[in-house]
Amino acid sequence: MAHSLKILFFLFSTLSIIPLSHQLEQHPLDSLTAKEFIRVQAIVNQSHPTSTTNLTFQYIGLNEPDKQAVLSWLQNHPTTTPPPRQAFVVARINHQTHELIIDLSRDDIVSDRIHHGFGYPSLTFQEQIDADQLVSNHAPFLAALNKRGLKAEKVVCGSFTVGWFGETKQNGRVVKIMCYYLDGTVNLYMRPIEAITVTVDLEAMKIIHFQDRLVVPVPKAAGTDYRESKQKPPFGPELKGITVVQPDGPSFTIDGSRVRWANWDFHLTFDARVGPIVSLASIYDTEKQEFRRVMYRGFVSELFVPYMDLTEEWYYRTFFDAGEYGYGLCAVPLEPLRDCPANAVYMGAFVAAQNGMPIEMPNVFCIFERNAGDVMWRHTETMIPPDLITEVRPDMSLVVRMVSTVGNYDYINDWEFKQIGSIKVTVGLTGLLEVRGSKYTHKDQIDEEVYGTLLAENTLGAYHDHFITYHLDLDVDGESNSFVKSKLETVKVTDQTSPRKSYWKVVSETAKTESDAKIKLGPDSAELLVVNPNKRTNMGNFVGYRLIPGSVASPLMTNDDYPQIRAAFTEYNVWVTPYNKSEKWAGGVYTDQSRGDDTLATWTSRNRRIENKDIVLWYTLGFHHVPYQEDFPLMPTISTGFELRPANFFEYNPVLKVKGPNNVRWPNCSVSSSGLN
């Protein structure tokens, strides 16, 4: 959620300004290059001279071309020119929010619109750093530290967005500063300095309010440091090394942003707000001898993380990690052999600094082939004596990974492509809990609502949620698709046709409007499909892909609670909308202090037609996180996700003729009848 001062400085130290270099032919969906960032900055600065203007760049990204223009270019490439390259810019200019569209083919501003509605753009790293630094010289803050016996040089602070709680007037761009104490650990989040609140006006960059409500014990540093070098015996059992080796090199190729592996072909790019974007994902049909599109564009649209603590310093901690902080902006360099296996290949990306200059983010993606020992398909036939027929195919897949560290939490994002035609999307949560300092040292002392679990002395782990909403523009064998929801219904046998008393059948319904497609997942839900009603298999079934959910969680806050009004897009696990290029961020363009008037939930209130249309599937997965002592002082990864799996897309099993790897080797071991030796 919030970033500490040291974390922000570390991230900036790992990033670097990129020099201009020769650019290869660009794909219309490629992220902006370093050269293009510089051109955008120059164009905006020329239009709004900084000598007379207060100008900051809050977001710069690709202004995605119209979908039909991209598809037309793909169909006629290379004989036709690509759509014009454009950038979408959100800038604060003289304390107003400007939306600008920059035409990079003409080096001019196509539009410059001032946002007059509710909400503000995402925070930049630089303004968070500047805000955090203000407290170091603030006399009341230093006096509060002295009262607690804390050393000022051991304090680090982070900026927290303030949300909206029914105010009729906008508060201006403000953040609240919360601070932590090191002194014996790097695990700052386990040592919060409670009950001190500093409010900063980001436009004036000054402290506008200070409160020291009461003194709460700061949790101890002992046992909180998670660095390997700081651990002391006893240790757990040590495992022997496992090596991932591909003697013939990887089976995938990367050409610019295009990735090809096995029967998959897709486009991979990066965005400062949402992180990885997978586009034009197509799979090769060996029977038809052609690539068939599955998904036009898929990405994380928003993350909503509300905490359930109602105390003065906590009630507003209801974060929108993508819209307020930038899920891609918070991506961190991946550690070889730790974050990714030895056979991984790495890709970098660019974001814009607050002044608009490009910054390189090295190793933001890793791409690798996975053989985890799973089975793709198998059968042993024992009914044809004396023969024993056994056929097994190992499950090989391709993984694209990014890690986003949004303050205390690390999100591990995987897009996994399987030979059977599935796209498996997984998110893992690890990192550090947000904990509240407390007077309690044992659970038996607690005689009030504390909104969390006592994890260690003076340390309460707050209850909270994680809701992650994905934008999935599926084009199942074409753009015109329909959404089919099916239920398994029990049928009682009332006649004498069978000795059985009951059976179940599938009852399907095609959603005609957006309201028909809203689904809260539960025990009654069975099959959720996106089909192409214009194409059938030889057996007469509509070709399709089905959504296979992982763990299911729904909001437990009331619908009239202000954070839930802003995050009404989490009310249903599944939404379906007609394609609209402007509808891509479920929490709205301006999420900071938003009021819920520009979200996925409000878009769907128009109840548009979605049958046999170009449609977008939105899926929200969630965690209700009740902290346990095993989550202290660092949380082991917990994962969930979903799968997009073929449903009558192929005429038969698409991996029937897939061969296993041709170089399976078992070094230093042999197989005998008694086992491995």
Side-chain angles (χ1 to χ4, degrees):
M1 280 59 73
H3 289 268
S4 77
L5 182 60
K6 282 198 171 184
I7 290 174
L8 286 168
F9 275 134
F10 168 75
L11 284 173
F12 268 110
S13 71
T14 63
L15 309 181
S16 59
I17 300 297
I18 273 297
L20 302 184
S21 60
H22 175 70
Q23 300 295 331
L24 301 174
E25 180 187 15
Q26 286 180 302
H27 189 286
L29 297 178
D30 279 352
S31 303
L32 297 181
T33 65
K35 183 178 179 180
E36 288 173 327
F37 275 111
I38 293 173
R39 287 166 61 192
V40 167
Q41 185 215 37
I43 292 166
V44 176
N45 283 341
Q46 185 176 6
S47 175
H48 301 276
T50 54
S51 58
T52 58
T53 304
N54 182 301
L55 170 63
T56 59
F57 293 86
Q58 308 299 129
Y59 170 84
I60 302 177
L62 176 72
N63 187 46
E64 179 187 334
D66 291 335
K67 184 174 181 178
Q68 289 306 315
V70 174
L71 296 179
S72 176
W73 176 82
L74 285 172
Q75 185 175 2
N76 298 293
H77 182 70
T79 60
T80 186
T81 56
R85 294 278 290 175
Q86 293 185 338
F88 178 70
V89 179
V90 177
R92 289 289 290 177
I93 303 175
N94 286 338
H95 309 302
Q96 290 183 311
T97 299
H98 286 244
E99 282 184 16
L100 302 101
I101 296 177
I102 313 295
D103 191 318
L104 294 167
S105 63
R106 304 200 312 254
D107 282 348
D108 66 2
I109 297 176
V110 175
S111 67
D112 185 347
R113 185 180 75 88
I114 298 176
H115 171 64
H116 292 291
F118 297 119
Y120 296 105
S122 56
L123 307 180
T124 68
F125 277 165
Q126 187 60 56
E127 62 192 354
Q128 291 178 70
I129 290 172
D130 293 343
D132 296 343
Q133 286 181 320
L134 292 175
V135 301
S136 61
N137 295 315
H138 190 60
F141 178 75
L142 295 176
L145 295 182
N146 185 60
K147 180 171 67 175
R148 290 164 170 79
L150 304 178
K151 308 169 189 174
E153 67 274 14
K154 297 294 184 179
V155 174
V156 293
C157 301
S159 300
F160 287 64
T161 52
V162 300
W164 169 70
F165 295 90
E167 303 91 340
T168 56
K169 293 183 179 180
Q170 296 199 84
N171 291 323
R173 294 190 69 232
V174 299
V175 292
K176 292 187 178 181
I177 307 298
M178 294 295 158
C179 298
Y180 306 88
Y181 198 53
L182 297 174
D183 200 24
T185 183
V186 297
N187 195 341
L188 58 104
Y189 289 103
M190 295 304 109
R191 306 203 73 196
I193 305 173
E194 291 293 343
I196 299 176
T197 303
V198 183
T199 306
V200 172
D201 182 329
L202 293 177
E203 301 293 317
M205 199 51 70
K206 67 177 183 180
I207 295 173
I208 59 174
H209 181 260
F210 175 84
Q211 177 177 282
D212 182 3
R213 193 166 61 89
L214 72 159
V215 175
V216 177
V218 175
K220 299 174 183 177
T224 64
D225 203 314
Y226 48 80
R227 290 175 293 178
E228 187 174 354
S229 61
K230 298 297 181 179
Q231 305 310 307
K232 297 179 180 178
F235 297 109
E238 187 171 347
L239 302 179
K240 296 182 179 179
I242 299 176
T243 301
V244 179
V245 178
Q246 290 185 278
D248 302 320
S251 299
F252 62 90
T253 60
I254 301 175
D255 182 9
S257 298
R258 183 182 182 184
V259 181
R260 281 170 284 187
W261 173 80
N263 47 356
W264 280 103
D265 188 330
F266 61 92
H267 187 264
L268 174 65
T269 51
F270 176 86
D271 178 77
R273 178 157 176 158
V274 303
I277 300 177
V278 175
S279 303
L280 302 169
S282 301
I283 190 164
Y284 189 73
D285 188 327
T286 55
E287 185 71 17
K288 295 180 180 291
Q289 295 286 291
E290 65 180 17
F291 277 97
R292 301 167 64 191
R293 185 162 308 127
V294 174
M295 183 173 68
Y296 179 73
R297 211 145 163 84
F299 52 86
V300 170
S301 181
E302 189 54 86
L303 293 89
F304 177 48
V305 188
Y307 283 80
M308 298 299 115
D309 193 322
L310 304 188
T311 53
E312 178 69 20
E313 294 78 29
W314 278 77
Y315 73 89
Y316 58 84
R317 301 190 193 194
T318 54
F319 303 109
F320 293 75
D321 286 347
E324 292 177 340
Y325 292 102
Y327 197 55
L329 192 65
C330 295
V332 293
L334 297 172
E335 293 287 329
L337 304 180
R338 299 276 180 146
D339 285 316
C340 310
N343 61 329
V345 173
Y346 296 83
M347 294 175 62
F350 300 101
V351 294
Q354 182 171 289
N355 65 1
M357 287 297 289
I359 297 176
E360 182 187 22
M361 304 182 74
N363 292 2
V364 73
F365 293 137
C366 73
I367 303 173
F368 59 92
E369 290 167 279
R370 171 184 283 161
N371 182 354
D374 297 324
V375 174
M376 181 166 62
W377 66 261
R378 81 172 318 281
H379 180 61
T380 297
E381 184 53 68
T382 62
M383 295 288 288
I384 313 176
D387 297 328
L388 181 68
I389 302 171
T390 297
E391 287 287 328
V392 185
R393 300 293 183 273
D395 190 18
M396 310 286 287
S397 62
L398 183 76
V399 178
V400 175
R401 176 169 295 167
M402 186 199 83
V403 173
S404 181
T405 300
V406 193
N408 55 301
Y409 263 101
D410 293 60
Y411 295 91
I412 304 165
N413 305 270
D414 283 0
W415 289 80
E416 184 175 5
F417 297 84
K418 292 180 170 290
Q419 290 174 282
I420 61 171
S422 288
I423 302 175
K424 188 175 181 181
V425 182
T426 306
V427 60
L429 278 64
T430 181
L432 308 167
L433 293 171
E434 279 276 12
V435 304
R436 176 161 62 92
S438 168
K439 63 183 179 181
Y440 299 114
T441 59
H442 193 279
K443 183 180 178 180
D444 291 349
Q445 301 168 345
I446 300 175
D447 57 2
E448 60 178 323
E449 174 62 78
V450 293
Y451 312 107
T453 304
L454 189 66
L455 304 174
E457 290 186 5
N458 309 119
T459 307
L460 288 165
Y463 303 144
H464 61 283
D465 298 319
H466 300 263
F467 295 106
I468 305 170
T469 300
Y470 288 83
H471 173 285
L472 304 165
D473 181 2
L474 299 183
D475 283 357
V476 179
D477 218 16
E479 295 90 75
S480 295
N481 289 176
S482 294
F483 180 67
V484 178
K485 51 183 180 178
S486 301
K487 291 185 178 180
L488 306 185
E489 290 190 356
T490 300
V491 179
K492 290 186 177 181
V493 179
T494 57
D495 54 25
Q496 303 302 314
T497 57
S498 172
R500 293 280 299 275
K501 299 294 185 181
S502 64
Y503 68 100
W504 59 259
K505 67 178 181 179
V506 179
V507 179
S508 300
E509 177 187 355
T510 299
K512 298 186 181 300
T513 65
E514 291 175 278
S515 62
D516 295 337
K518 295 188 293 187
I519 295 176
K520 291 184 179 181
L521 293 174
D524 294 335
S525 300
E527 298 291 311
L528 306 173
L529 285 81
V530 173
V531 303
N532 189 324
N534 310 295
K535 295 185 179 180
R536 294 174 180 252
T537 65
N538 293 336
M539 296 296 101
N541 296 307
F542 292 128
V543 301
Y545 260 72
R546 58 181 170 136
L547 169 68
I548 303 177
S551 62
V552 175
S554 297
L556 298 176
M557 292 185 293
T558 60
N559 289 339
D560 62 347
D561 198 356
Y562 295 108
Q564 188 58 38
I565 292 172
R566 299 174 65 208
F569 55 87
T570 64
E571 184 178 347
Y572 294 92
N573 301 100
V574 177
W575 309 73
V576 179
T577 62
Y579 170 80
N580 184 324
K581 190 179 85 168
S582 67
E583 296 176 359
K584 56 183 180 180
W585 297 328
V589 179
Y590 302 104
T591 314
D592 181 24
Q593 299 182 54
S594 62
R595 302 190 178 186
D597 56 353
D598 177 30
T599 70
L600 172 60
T602 57
W603 307 335
T604 61
S605 64
R606 289 172 280 179
N607 202 25
R608 296 163 290 186
R609 306 288 297 184
I610 58 172
E611 185 179 15
N612 201 12
K613 302 284 187 182
D614 188 358
I615 58 177
V616 175
L617 177 71
W618 305 78
Y619 178 66
T620 297
L621 58 84
F623 301 83
H624 295 302
H625 193 171
V626 177
Y628 294 95
Q629 287 183 232
E630 288 80 2
D631 297 332
F632 175 88
L634 183 138
M635 178 181 148
T637 302
I638 182 172
S639 300
T640 191
F642 61 93
E643 185 175 349
L644 299 170
R645 190 178 180 96
N648 299 321
F649 188 82
F650 299 101
E651 292 293 340
Y652 55 82
N653 181 352
V655 289
L656 177 67
K657 299 179 181 180
V658 166
K659 297 181 179 180
N662 59 12
N663 60 346
V664 176
R665 302 169 186 172
W666 298 94
N668 302 321
C669 69
S670 61
V671 180
S672 71
S673 60
S674 60
L676 292 175
N677 296 317

